[in-house]
Amino acid sequence: MKSARILAGLMVISLTLHACGDSEPPFDILITGGTVYDGSLSPPQQLNIGIRGDRIVRLDAAADAPAKQVIDAAGKVVSPGFIDPHTHARADLLDAATSSNLNYLMQGVTTVFIGNDGDGLRERRARVQQMRTQGIGTNMAFFAGHGDLREQVMGLENRAPTAAELAAMQRLLAEEMRAGALGLSTGLFYTPGSFADTDEVIALSRTAAEFGGVYDTHMRSESAFDLGLLESVGEVLKIAEATGIPVHISHLKALGRDVWGQSGDIIALIDAARARGLNVTANQYPYRASGTRFSSALVPQWARADSREAMYARFDNPDLADRLRAEMQDNLRIRGGAGAMLVTGNDSEWRGQTLDEIAESLGADELDAAVHVIRNGDPSIASFVMEQQDIHAIAIQPWVMTGSDGSPGHPRKYGTYPQVYRDMVLEHKLFPIERFVHRSSGLVADTFGLCDRGYLQPGRKADVVILDLQDYAPRADFQNPEELAMGVTDVIINGQLAVRAGAYANTLPGEIVNHAALECSN
Ligand SMILES: [Zn+2]
C-alpha cells in the first residue's frame, strides 16, 4: 500500500520533469543566431527558431537545444518564406524538369499563386493530381480563372452570356472554390476576358465572395487605350462596391507615355475607396518593362478578336489597313517607340533585338516588321513602358505587395524579390527591411487569408528563408533573363529543406494551399 503510494509519487515527479522540457523531443531543425524578421512590421530580433515536423514550434529556443539539424544563421536574415501572389508557374510546376521552381526558391519564395489573369488552373483535377504525384518544389495556390470559365461555357464568343450561360459559369466557379481556389482572377485586357462587361464580372465575383474568395484582376486597361487606366481602376472599385469582395489589382502600373504621372490619381482613388471601407490591395513588380506578346502590345483588341487566323485575315484586308496601321502606330508611340520593344521569347530568332533593329534587318518599316514577327511566332517581348517615379510612388503604399508576374524571357521571373531589395530598400531607401519582408510575406498572407503561413509564429507552417543580405541580388537581366538570384542560403518549406547552404537540396516539399475558409477551419 505504502510502496504503491511512493511509486505513484515518483510517477508524478517524472511526468512533471517531462513537461518541464528536460526530455522534450529534439527539434528537427534549429535555426540559431539569425536576425529574425517575423513577417509583421516589427523590428528584427535575435531569436533561435525551433521546427518540428512541418511546423514552427518555438521562436525562443535555447541556442544549444537538442536538434537533429542545426543551421547557424549568424550574420544572416531569417524571414518567413515569400508568397508571390502573381506568377505564371503552372507549366513549370507540371514539368518534372522544372517542378522544383528553382527560379523562385532562389529568390526566397516558398509559395506561388497561379491561374492569375483569368487563366485558372484549367483541367484542375488532373493537374492537381499530377502535382501531388510528381511533387512540387514550392507551395502552390490557385485562382479560378474567368477566361477559363467563360471559354468552357461559351467558347470565344464576343457577347454577353445568356442567363443560363452565366449560371453555368457560376456553377463551375463554385466547384473551383470548393476545391480550394483563392478566388476569381480576371484578365479583362485579354481574349476572352475583354468580351465580358462589368455586370458579368460582378455576378461571378458575388459567387467567389460567397466562398470567402478574393477578386484578382489584370485590369481592362493599364494605359490610355481601350477603357483607360483610371476608368479601369474605377471598374475594380465598382466590383468591390457591388459585391463586398476584397479586390486585388495585379501588377499595378501606369503603362505608356499618355498615362505617365497618373500614379498619384490611382493612389488617390484607391485610398478614398479604402477610407470608405472597401478592401483594395495591389501587387507590383519592380521593373520598367512589362512583358507581353508582340500582338498584345501593338494590335488593337478588335483586330485580335476571335482567333489568330482571324487576326491574320484582318492584316490582309485592304479595307482595314488604314485603321489598323493608325492604331498600331499609336500603340507604338504610347509604348515608347520601336526602340523600347525588346524580343525576349526563348524560341524566337529575333531574341535580344528591338523592333527598330528587326525593321532595319528586314528592310521594312516598323509596323510591317511587327506584323512579320507576329505572323512568325508572335514572341514574348519586354516593353519599356513605365516610369520609375510611378513605380516608386505605388511601391510605398501600405496596401502594395511584391508580385513577380514571372513569365518566360523577363528577368522578373528570376529576380523580382532581390530586385525590390536592391532598388527600393538599398538604393532608394523607400522602406526598411521589415517592410520589404512584410510586403513579401505577412501582407500577402493577410490579403488572401493564408492563416497558416506568412509569419514566423509558433503553430504556423515552417516556411522559412535565410538570406545573406550582402549577397542578395538578382543576376537576371533583359539580355540574360534566366539567371538564378544570389544570396538565399537556406529555404525550408513545410519543415523540409529545399535549399541548404546555397544549393538546391533535391527535395519537392511543396503543398497545395487552399483558400482561407478551407485552410483555416481546423
Ligand atoms: Zn497580367
Side-chain angles (χ1 to χ4, degrees), residues 14 72-73 83 96 116 154 158-159 201 212 241 245 285 288 319 364 399 484 493 509 512:
S14 98
D72 177 5
I83 304 171
N116 305 80
M154 49 192 297
N158 185 359
R159 59 171 174 82
V201 182
E241 198 107 48
I245 196 168
Y285 56 82
R288 285 193 50 241
D319 294 339
W399 39 265
L484 295 171
I493 300 181
I512 294 165

Side-chain angles (χ1 to χ4, degrees), residues 251-283:
H251 42 64
L252 182 59
K253 61 172 87 72
L255 186 158
R257 63 173 75 238
D258 292 352
V259 296
W260 285 347
Q262 287 190 8
S263 52
D265 301 316
I266 299 172
I267 292 162
L269 275 175
I270 293 176
D271 278 343
R274 287 169 57 88
R276 292 200 302 276
L278 301 185
N279 186 340
V280 190
T281 53
N283 71 65

Side-chain angles (χ1 to χ4, degrees), residues 175-260:
E175 245 175 70
E176 295 305 291
M177 292 305 299
R178 276 187 211 104
L182 294 163
L184 175 71
S185 82
T186 62
L188 300 184
F189 172 74
Y190 296 109
T191 302
S194 61
F195 302 149
D197 62 16
T198 310
D199 288 342
E200 175 181 331
V201 182
I202 286 175
L204 291 168
S205 297
R206 217 163 255 142
T207 302
E210 280 167 28
F211 291 87
V214 175
Y215 175 73
D216 165 68
T217 184
H218 178 140
M219 294 192 296
R220 210 175 279 277
S221 172
E222 300 177 315
S223 190
F225 25 72
D226 304 321
L227 180 61
L229 173 60
L230 297 179
E231 293 79 359
S232 294
V233 173
E235 183 182 35
V236 178
L237 302 181
K238 188 176 170 191
I239 291 160
E241 198 107 48
T243 63
I245 196 168
V247 294
H248 184 74
I249 301 174
S250 270
H251 42 64
L252 182 59
K253 61 172 87 72
L255 186 158
R257 63 173 75 238
D258 292 352
V259 296
W260 285 347

